[in-house]
Amino acid sequence: MNASLLAVLNDAERLLVAETERDQLAALDEDAAIELEARIRRARSKYAGQYRRGASAAVTEKGGRGMARPENTRARMKAEAFEEALSRVDRK
């Protein structure tokens, strides 16, 4: 995973993403993989929602979506990190 994406995550979120590494996923049975996927999906949905709400609130203030985008970078990067982690679990 990209180091800049990992840098925005807190310790608990980094541990969750670390569970999606190849050797960790190999040790999981089907039920554990489904449970991990659900936890990652919840985290991704949380930050994607935060990003959307923050961006939509800033649109009227900034005058457009493009102008509002840079101010909500942290939530966008967290959502992207969890999206990448989710894709690794989905491949399992």
Side-chain angles (χ1 to χ4, degrees):
M1 179 173 286
N2 187 344
S4 63
L5 292 179
L6 285 175
V8 298
L9 301 176
N10 64 34
D11 291 337
E13 293 165 344
R14 267 191 224 106
L15 289 173
L16 181 59
V17 169
E19 290 182 47
T20 66
E21 296 297 327
R22 187 181 307 254
D23 57 337
Q24 297 282 343
L25 288 175
L28 297 179
D29 64 351
E30 185 177 351
D31 292 334
I34 290 170
E35 189 270 332
L36 176 61
E37 180 183 13
R39 288 189 295 141
I40 292 174
R41 191 174 301 275
R42 276 193 305 273
R44 185 213 44 192
S45 296
K46 173 185 174 181
Y47 290 111
Q50 284 182 355
Y51 170 68
R52 287 188 197 113
R53 282 189 303 275
S56 68
V59 166
T60 57
E61 183 178 304
K62 295 292 181 180
R65 290 183 303 180
M67 304 269 294
R69 185 172 186 252
E71 292 188 9
N72 204 6
T73 305
R74 187 173 178 89
R76 179 177 46 86
M77 290 180 76
K78 282 187 175 196
E80 186 178 333
F82 284 115
E83 182 65 37
E84 189 174 321
L86 184 61
S87 71
R88 288 192 292 219
V89 175
D90 283 344
R91 277 186 252 135
K92 166 80 168 128

